[in-house]
Structure formats: structure tokens, C-alpha cells
Amino acid sequence: MTVATNTSALKGASTGGLSALIEAAKTRFDRYRMYRQTVSELASLSDRELADLGLHRSMIRRIAMQAAEENAAR
């Protein structure tokens, strides 16, 4: 039985490049987690509560994306 492995992508990558890739993946995951948490919290509010905040249910995803982007910029 022959087993083939593809390590050519890692041969040219330095330790800094790999750590940068891992850091970018972590940042993206943190941004996604913030987005999902914000969507979940806003979606759990009633229409009345959203209106008190000056929001409409159709705005939830956009606001969550903005919150995630702003949090990632810090």
C-alpha cells in the first residue's frame, strides 16, 4: 500500500508565514463568533424592544457585521 502526502505547500512556508496564517484564521473565527453572538442577541429581542433601539428586524445582520468589523479593528 502506498501513501502519498502533499507537503509542498508547507516546504516554502516559513514559521512566520504559518503563524501568520494561524493568526489570520483565529481573527476570522473571532469575528464570526462576534457576528453570530450579536445576531443571536438582537434576534432574541421583540419587535418592540428593537423599535425602542431604533432598529428593525431586517437590520440585524448588517448591524452584527458592523459590530464584528469594529471589534476586529481594535
Side-chain angles (χ1 to χ4, degrees), residues 1-30:
M1 172 156 60
T2 304
V3 176
T5 58
N6 185 359
T7 58
S8 61
L10 295 177
K11 285 183 182 178
S14 65
T15 304
L18 186 57
S19 64
L21 181 65
I22 292 170
E23 187 64 31
K26 181 185 177 303
T27 301
R28 188 171 178 159
F29 179 73
D30 289 343

Side-chain angles (χ1 to χ4, degrees), residues 2-69:
T2 304
V3 176
T5 58
N6 185 359
T7 58
S8 61
L10 295 177
K11 285 183 182 178
S14 65
T15 304
L18 186 57
S19 64
L21 181 65
I22 292 170
E23 187 64 31
K26 181 185 177 303
T27 301
R28 188 171 178 159
F29 179 73
D30 289 343
R31 186 180 306 143
Y32 176 73
R33 187 174 53 201
M34 171 65 74
Y35 169 79
R36 290 302 313 154
Q37 180 180 359
T38 305
V39 167
S40 177
E41 289 176 8
L42 289 175
S44 70
L45 297 176
S46 69
D47 288 339
R48 174 64 188 235
E49 291 169 324
L50 287 171
D52 287 345
L53 295 172
L55 304 175
H56 187 268
R57 196 158 295 280
S58 65
M59 301 167 69
I60 290 176
R61 288 184 180 174
R62 180 176 48 88
I63 291 170
M65 186 62 71
Q66 288 174 346
E69 292 296 326

